[in-house]
Every structure is written in C-alpha cells, then in structure tokens.
Amino acid sequence: MVQIQLRSAAAVPPAATEPCLDAWQRVTLRGNRALARGDAAAALTQYRAALSLADALPGRAADADTAVAALVVSHHNLAELHQRAERADVAGAHVCRAHELLHEMAADTTLDPSWRAAAWRHGRMTYVELMQFLRRYPGHDRARRAAELPWTDDAESRH
C-alpha cells in the first residue's frame, strides 16, 4: 500500500514573519496534533482552515517558495487524512488540485517569475505524489489527466 507522506508545517522553509504564513503554520500544527491523538474530525477542521489560509497566499506573500509550499502541504495533508479514512475520491481531488494549481501558476505569464519558478519546483513534488496515488488507484481518471498535464519551461519539457 502506497501512502502519501503526511506533511507538517515544519516541511515549509522558515520565511520572513508574515501573519498569514504564521497563522497557517499554527493551524497546521494544531491539525497535526489532533491527528496524532486520533481526532480526525478536529484534524479535518484545522487542515481545512490551513488550506483556506494557503489559498490566499499565491501572488501576495513576500516569499513565493514558502507560500507555494504551504499550499501544497495543505492539499497533501487533506489528501492523507481522506486516504486514511478510505475516501479515495476526496483524497484524489486534493492530490490532483495541488498539481493542477501549480501547473496553472507555472503557465501563468502574468505572475511574477519567482511565483512561476516556485510552482515549477514544487510541481515536481506534486507530480511524485500524484504518481504514488495513481499506483494505488490506477483507475482514477482525474489523476491520470492531471499526470498528463504538459509542463514546459525554457530548459525542460516535462517532469
């Protein structure tokens, strides 16, 4: 059985103090603690709050790499939580959405290049997570489509 590794707030590099990132980290840590004590409902509430905070970061936070990492970690934490509860459809939606969001960001020429580069870098991780999910659930259509998204860059043509 392939499992997505639970990501902690510590997986995101430290950034300059930003209220939204600080709040994201606190909420994520509360979710991790709830999950560790077996309270999946509380973890779900905290992880949803973390995702809500992370969704507000792209294009706004000072540190693009940290903000993109927070978004990815939030989706992957929710995916792991749902996968543990054997809700593959919801888990897959989070794995796919993380990858799709980064694909959109990397391709968005209106975004600052630092955001596009961060999306490109973290897109490699979301691709690995997506492939692990597909090994476990090979019939998941959205995951197959997300894995086939063309990632192009001046230097590279695909993951």
Side-chain angles (χ1 to χ4, degrees):
M1 176 166 107
V2 177
Q3 284 196 345
I4 298 169
Q5 296 287 327
L6 183 64
R7 303 294 190 262
S8 71
V12 176
T17 304
E18 287 191 47
C20 196
L21 278 169
D22 290 342
W24 173 85
Q25 189 169 35
R26 284 191 306 275
V27 170
T28 299
L29 290 172
R30 282 195 302 263
N32 291 349
R33 286 192 297 271
L35 190 60
R37 68 177 183 270
D39 189 349
L44 179 61
T45 299
Q46 296 302 314
Y47 289 159
R48 283 180 175 162
L51 178 58
S52 180
L53 289 165
D55 274 339
L57 295 171
R60 294 183 185 105
D63 183 346
D65 198 64
T66 301
V68 170
L71 188 59
V72 170
V73 167
S74 295
H75 274 292
H76 287 174
N77 280 347
L78 282 162
E80 171 63 19
L81 185 64
H82 288 294
Q83 193 167 342
R84 287 181 181 194
E86 298 182 10
R87 291 187 297 263
D89 55 334
V90 181
H94 282 288
V95 171
C96 292
R97 190 62 189 139
H99 192 66
E100 293 160 354
L101 280 169
L102 278 105
H103 179 266
E104 291 168 15
M105 289 173 68
D108 186 350
T109 58
T110 65
L111 274 181
D112 182 275
S114 65
W115 285 91
R116 293 180 70 204
W120 179 260
R121 278 189 304 280
H122 290 281
R124 290 186 175 105
M125 183 180 88
T126 60
Y127 183 75
V128 168
E129 298 289 347
L130 189 56
M131 296 311 293
Q132 288 176 345
F133 181 82
L134 273 170
R135 279 189 214 99
R136 184 162 185 207
Y137 305 102
H140 197 280
D141 290 334
R142 183 177 176 186
R144 278 200 317 265
R145 286 191 310 273
E148 293 171 356
L149 288 171
W151 286 64
T152 58
D153 185 58
D154 295 332
E156 300 183 53
S157 61
R158 267 178 102 67
H159 291 285

